[in-house]
Amino acid sequence: MPAEERICSYSTVLMGSPILLKLFSHDEALAKQVFGRIKRLEDLLTVNRADSEVMAINHAAGSHAVVVSRPVFNLIKRARAVSLLPGSCFNFTIGPLVKRWKIGFHGDAVPPASELQALLALTDPRLVSLDEQNCSVLLEKAAMEIDLGAIAKGYIADVIKHYLQQQQVDRALINLGGNVHTLGAGWSVGLKKPFAAAEELIGVIGVAGKSVVTSGIYERYFAHNGRCYHHILDPQTGYPLDNELLSVTIISDDSLDGDIYTTLIYGLGVTAGLAYLAAVPQIEAILVTKAKEVILSSQRQFSFSLLDNEYRLR
Ligand code: ADP
Ligand code: MG
Ligand code: MG
């Protein structure tokens, strides 16, 4: 029997995204365990509800340190380190700007420049103090807000992969709304065509046991006066990042790395992004540009077949 016919798919909606689990045996109980774990992690990390661990930190901004669980602390520690890299456009204290723009949520509109300017004063990652011993986090200024939206799915995908490995699963795929993680060989992951119907693909990425994360300006955006305002913000200006890129896909061992690097490379743009990636051989990328080019950083950990002839490989 061909492998495709033996795949059992389980789906749900969590983190505001479609979640898909593919297994090679019918195992409803395992799927339930996986979805339950995703839900519990979402409950710790979300900023779209009032009562997560991250929101407890945000509520105490300018006032006191908040003790969090060790995994949340470690994730915040990594986010802070990446935010402080020279030239990094990744900034986990971007919360006040994300909340103000509301991109992808009801009421999104272009805020007045003066308001954005004022909010930039609240997005300094150096103003987050971490206490390793107590496992606590303090935001030094009132109204500061941590937002882990760029990395929560990647982190959760890694936890789920680890759980599946512990359950002796040797072949599976988990898709957390665009963060795909795989166990075992023979997986094909579609690269979505920007601004097209969901099932239209630019090409197909072949991987074995790798994470494939895509972040694009067509995922969550609104259009106003002929401009596209999307959900990846430039912490220097307060506006959506604007360059020649439509999307960045990262192929890596860990999905958290994939999530971090999609944002980092998106912010660097094509030339600086490729130069950056050349120094990190374990991270590979597929860049899609507004000029309809598909640029592969290298191809050691994946294969790519182009399906759409509007796009060309560079
Ligand atoms: P998703 O796949 O859920 O759309 P992405 O991984 O593409 O998320 O990251 C986008 C999210 O990251 C935004 O919705 C916001 O919460 C957060 N974000 C926006 N700009 C930045 C930034 N410069 N640095 C870190 N996080 C950001
Ligand atoms: Mg991301
Ligand atoms: Mg994404």
Side-chain angles (χ1 to χ4, degrees):
M1 198 167 23
E4 289 299 322
E5 286 173 32
R6 290 186 283 118
I7 292 181
C8 301
S9 295
Y10 300 89
S11 60
T12 184
V13 174
L14 290 164
M15 301 181 283
S17 304
I19 309 292
L20 177 69
L21 173 68
K22 290 186 181 183
L23 299 172
F24 280 84
S25 62
H26 182 75
D27 197 338
E28 195 96 35
L30 182 63
K32 216 174 147 195
Q33 284 294 325
V34 165
F35 294 156
R37 277 175 163 73
I38 296 171
K39 173 85 177 59
R40 286 199 291 282
L41 292 166
E42 178 189 12
D43 288 346
L44 295 178
L45 299 171
T46 186
V47 292
N48 297 320
R49 287 198 301 268
D51 57 356
S52 68
E53 285 199 1
V54 172
M55 282 309 288
I57 298 169
N58 290 346
H59 287 314
S63 164
H64 57 273
V66 172
V67 176
V68 293
S69 57
R70 185 57 68 176
V72 171
F73 183 86
N74 288 341
L75 188 61
I76 288 174
K77 192 171 149 187
R78 176 90 194 271
R80 186 177 186 278
V82 176
S83 301
L84 291 173
L85 290 174
S88 175
C89 82
F90 182 98
N91 184 330
F92 79 122
T93 59
I94 199 94
L97 286 165
V98 173
K99 285 278 159 67
R100 183 60 191 85
W101 277 94
K102 300 195 196 82
I103 292 170
F105 293 89
H106 181 72
D108 47 11
V110 183
S114 58
E115 270 188 49
L116 295 177
Q117 198 57 41
L119 293 175
L120 285 175
L122 299 172
T123 61
D124 183 348
R126 288 169 305 183
L127 299 178
V128 181
S129 304
L130 304 183
D131 183 335
E132 186 81 49
Q133 223 118 64
N134 292 322
C135 208
S136 69
V137 183
L138 168 69
L139 307 184
E140 291 175 15
K141 270 195 196 175
M144 282 181 72
E145 284 183 65
I146 290 177
D147 180 337
L148 301 179
I151 53 170
K153 286 177 190 159
Y155 167 73
I156 295 172
D158 288 335
V159 173
I160 296 304
K161 176 166 173 173
H162 186 66
Y163 172 70
L164 290 171
Q165 284 168 328
Q166 284 177 329
Q167 302 307 304
Q168 323 303 334
V169 174
D170 50 21
R171 234 185 128 194
L173 177 147
I174 179 95
N175 184 350
L176 307 181
N179 273 68
V180 177
H181 214 339
T182 63
L183 279 94
W187 292 108
S188 298
V189 181
L191 179 60
K192 273 194 206 160
K193 182 168 175 171
F195 302 109
E199 62 281 3
E200 285 187 62
L201 302 178
I202 293 181
V204 173
I205 304 159
V207 284
K210 300 286 173 184
S211 157
V212 181
V213 180
T214 298
S215 196
I217 66 171
Y218 52 87
E219 283 179 71
R220 282 189 278 142
Y221 70 96
F222 68 93
H224 178 71
N225 284 344
R227 281 200 55 179
C228 168
Y229 293 91
H230 62 86
H231 71 322
I232 310 169
L233 302 176
D234 183 345
Q236 299 301 318
T237 65
Y239 286 85
L241 277 160
D242 190 15
N243 60 28
E244 69 275 60
L245 286 166
L246 283 176
S247 70
V248 175
T249 300
I250 298 288
I251 296 97
S252 54
D253 284 330
D254 293 331
S255 211
L256 176 57
D257 282 335
D259 242 347
I260 288 170
Y261 278 94
T262 45
T263 307
L264 270 185
I265 300 303
Y266 190 87
L268 290 173
V270 174
T271 308
L274 288 173
Y276 195 98
L277 287 166
V280 204
Q282 69 277 22
I283 305 288
E284 295 191 78
I286 302 173
L287 312 182
V288 179
T289 70
K290 291 175 183 166
K292 301 207 163 149
E293 293 174 315
V294 179
I295 305 168
L296 310 179
S297 67
S298 62
Q299 242 178 300
R300 286 179 297 270
Q301 307 186 57
F302 69 99
S303 63
F304 182 75
S305 35
L306 187 69
L307 298 178
D308 189 307
N309 57 20
E310 272 182 40
Y311 284 79
R312 62 187 183 285
L313 278 176
R314 190 178 108 188

